[in-house]
């Protein structure tokens, strides 16, 4: 994979897409062909946000949907070529926190100015 400023190709754009939707980011973990983003703050969304590496598509992994394996979960999993159970197991794996992490650039770790009003 070609590197850009020490980051994988497309990673900066992926950070920007997710940052614009949810705010400050801490790092990303690569799993199932996605960069799954972790945040330094508690979010009021129901699962991690990710960017599919080969397409740049933003995905929202809704954990309650994955637990019940509803149609939304099946649709998200199908985009990755796995079952909803495989996706759920990967995201909730006890070893998930041990996976290699990619630190995001500092500009994506800051609170957006729009949050200050």
């Amino acid at each position: 994979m070609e590197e850009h400023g020490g980051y994988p190709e497309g990673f900066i754009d992926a950070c920007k897409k997710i940052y614009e939707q949810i705010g400050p980011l801490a790092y990303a973990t690569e799993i199932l062909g996605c960069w799954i983003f972790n945040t330094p703050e508690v979010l009021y969304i129901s699962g991690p946000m990710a960017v599919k590496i080969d397409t740049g598509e933003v995905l929202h992994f809704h954990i309650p949907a994955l637990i019940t394996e509803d149609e939304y979960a099946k649709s998200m999993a199908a985009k990755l070529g796995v079952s909803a159970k495989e996706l759920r197991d990967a995201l909730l794996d006890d070893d998930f926190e041990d996976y290699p992490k990619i630190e995001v650039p500092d500009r994506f770790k800051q609170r957006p100015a729009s949050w200050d009003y």
Side-chain angles (χ1 to χ4, degrees):
M1 183 177 285
E2 185 180 337
E3 297 285 326
H4 295 275
Y7 292 100
E9 183 176 357
F11 184 73
I12 301 299
D13 288 338
C15 290
K16 185 175 185 301
K17 286 178 182 178
I18 301 301
Y19 178 79
E20 289 173 350
Q21 292 190 34
I22 63 174
L25 307 173
Y27 59 83
T29 303
E30 186 178 335
I31 186 169
L32 295 177
C34 292
W35 289 305
I36 298 174
F37 289 89
N38 187 289
T39 63
E41 300 184 21
V42 174
L43 296 179
Y44 297 100
I45 60 174
S46 55
M49 298 290 289
V51 172
K52 192 167 183 240
I53 294 170
D54 62 347
T55 65
E57 180 181 7
V58 172
L59 303 173
H60 174 206
F61 296 126
H62 187 266
I63 298 299
L66 286 170
I67 291 169
T68 61
E69 296 186 33
D70 74 5
E71 289 306 312
Y72 181 86
K74 290 175 185 173
S75 171
M76 288 295 102
K79 291 179 181 193
L80 302 178
V82 299
S83 70
K85 180 185 180 327
E86 289 171 299
L87 177 56
R88 181 189 66 230
D89 290 349
L91 292 176
L92 301 178
D93 183 356
D94 289 338
D95 294 328
F96 183 79
E97 287 301 317
D98 296 332
Y99 290 11
K101 304 198 178 16
I102 305 171
E103 290 288 328
V104 302
D106 287 341
R107 68 180 180 265
F108 300 119
K109 293 181 179 182
Q110 310 303 315
R111 291 175 63 89
S114 63
W115 288 17
D116 293 334
Y117 57 85

